[in-house]
Amino acid sequence: MYGWLWRRTPGPAPVRVLLLALLAAAVLAACFAWVFPAVAPLMPFNETTVGG
């Protein structure tokens, strides 16, 4: 996958590094903005109780 991304990215190596870093940051931001909040209610550790 990384090789495919590297070959498909245009420009010289420094430009490729910058573009792929921006792509990684965009994917991470999308995960924190939409994916993780959508999945959080489905996680089993949301319903913890202490006591007896």
Side-chain angles (χ1 to χ4, degrees), residues 31-52:
C31 284
F32 275 104
W34 296 295
V35 176
F36 297 155
V39 174
L42 305 174
M43 295 291 107
F45 49 79
N46 285 339
E47 299 159 10
T48 58
T49 57
V50 178

Side-chain angles (χ1 to χ4, degrees), residues 9-35:
T9 307
V15 173
R16 289 179 181 191
V17 169
L18 180 63
L19 287 174
L20 292 175
L22 290 173
L23 177 65
V27 168
L28 185 64
C31 284
F32 275 104
W34 296 295
V35 176

